[in-house]
Amino acid sequence: MDRLSVIGDAAIEVIAAEGMRGLTHRAVDRFAGLPVGSTSYYARTRAALLSLTFARIVELDQAPAPSGGLAESIAGYVSEALGAGRTRMLARYEFALEATRRPELRAEYDSGGALIRRLATEALAAAGSSDPSRHAALVVDWMEGTIFGALAGASVTPSRASLVMSAREILAGIGVDAG
């Protein structure tokens, strides 16, 4: 793994554990087990560190989809976000809140969200959606709501089987083959 990925991953962990206020160059160095000053060599300012971290979140969000049909891919993304990707999602939600107060983060956050929606639009178009953009918004909103609810403790973490069933129902409701 390259140094930028190590720094990005450590920053994600720091944000998930301590929130945005806990994100410092030294905290990232400490969490990554790097010599003091390593993070600031790659990201001189806090803004650069935030940008590097969010770029890493977006990169990890695009990990290859599991094999299987569309419903299984959707369920796989949500399941991964609630399991191994839990800290990434917590950090992403911290970014979402911070972006409401900081316009420089808003553009990056919106760009990352647009990428995820574009990928969902492409997948739904390939599956035969009659309105891929609108349907992608519905599917992504369901995914985000499910993830947020489980992470914030507002709902029970759904099983993989339950996620597949829900994804199939949503896809059937919009007239798309669940695969």
Side-chain angles (χ1 to χ4, degrees):
M1 185 180 311
D2 68 35
R3 185 60 59 103
L4 290 176
S5 296
V6 169
I7 290 169
D9 290 347
I12 289 167
E13 295 289 336
V14 169
I15 293 168
E18 301 177 23
M20 286 295 212
R21 287 187 169 187
L23 182 68
T24 65
H25 290 79
R26 285 185 182 216
V28 174
D29 288 340
R30 189 172 47 254
F31 194 91
L34 297 171
V36 173
S38 297
T39 297
S40 64
Y41 175 80
Y42 290 94
R44 301 294 297 163
T45 64
R46 180 171 173 78
L49 179 56
L50 289 168
S51 184
L52 181 153
T53 306
F54 193 70
R56 182 66 175 153
I57 290 170
V58 172
E59 178 184 345
L60 293 170
D61 276 348
Q62 297 176 71
S67 59
L70 186 55
E72 286 78 13
S73 292
I74 292 167
Y77 179 89
V78 174
S79 181
E80 188 278 336
L82 295 173
R86 182 180 192 281
T87 55
R88 180 184 81 247
M89 298 308 294
L90 289 170
R92 185 150 61 86
Y93 292 136
E94 289 280 347
F95 267 95
L97 293 172
E98 191 71 14
T100 65
R101 296 179 287 275
R102 297 183 57 187
E104 68 277 12
L105 290 181
R106 176 89 267 153
E108 284 188 69
Y109 188 81
D110 289 348
S111 176
L115 175 64
I116 298 302
R117 289 182 188 276
R118 181 179 56 77
L119 295 171
T121 299
E122 290 170 2
L124 289 165
S129 168
S130 62
D131 192 347
S133 293
R134 189 170 64 81
H135 291 157
L138 292 170
V139 171
V140 170
D141 287 349
W142 170 77
M143 293 167 64
E144 290 288 339
T146 300
I147 294 166
F148 184 82
L151 291 180
S155 61
V156 175
T157 301
S159 68
R160 175 78 179 241
S162 174
L163 292 169
V164 171
M165 184 184 320
S166 295
R168 287 186 183 282
E169 291 168 349
I170 289 167
L171 294 171
I174 60 175
V176 173
D177 180 25

